[in-house]
Amino acid sequence: MPDMDVALKDAMQIDGAIGAALVDRSSGMALGVAGGSRDFDLQVAAAANTEVVRAKLRTMEMLNLHEKIEDILITLDSQYHLIRPLTGRSGQGLFLYIALNKDRANLALARHQLKRIEGGLDL
């Protein structure tokens, strides 16, 4: 089973990938990152997207929804941002985050590939 570095490298192979991170939901810290740039700080994105996940979990609790989040999609003018909370026992409290160039990415395929990466991740 792939470790975190291999999983992030695999995420960066997704068409249109700008950057990817494995994030601890409780602290907002990126445990590992791949890609990004000086103008796209994955550490900042990890911390900020932690708030997105927390807000959605609070909303689900208030609505008494007892389902798992498969993924969260944020669509910008030129980018897709995908957040995939990990569901395996070893990944509890973590999520995969990837930013994609909208012109180059196939959203359905990217979601499928992130699910596959999650399934093979060994933490």
Side-chain angles (χ1 to χ4, degrees), residues 81-98:
H81 291 231
L82 276 172
I83 300 167
R84 184 170 183 89
L86 303 185
T87 57
R89 222 177 49 214
S90 66
Q92 287 294 340
L94 304 177
F95 64 88
L96 279 169
Y97 164 72
I98 187 167

Side-chain angles (χ1 to χ4, degrees), residues 3-12 14 19-25 31-34 42 45-46 49 53 70-72 81-87 91 93-99 110-121 123:
D3 67 5
M4 175 183 58
D5 293 330
V6 173
L8 291 171
K9 184 178 176 185
D10 287 348
M12 289 303 295
I14 296 172
L22 181 66
V23 185
D24 178 358
R25 185 172 72 210
L31 304 177
V33 297
L42 284 164
N49 282 302
V53 174
E70 194 170 313
D71 55 42
I72 298 169
H81 291 231
L82 276 172
I83 300 167
R84 184 170 183 89
L86 303 185
T87 57
L94 304 177
F95 64 88
L96 279 169
Y97 164 72
I98 187 167
R111 291 181 68 223
H112 176 74
Q113 289 172 301
L114 270 188
K115 183 176 182 179
R116 180 188 52 76
I117 291 167
E118 175 195 1
L121 192 58
L123 299 173

Side-chain angles (χ1 to χ4, degrees), residues 30-45:
L31 304 177
V33 297
S37 68
R38 190 169 42 120
D39 296 326
F40 193 86
D41 187 332
L42 284 164
Q43 299 291 340
V44 172

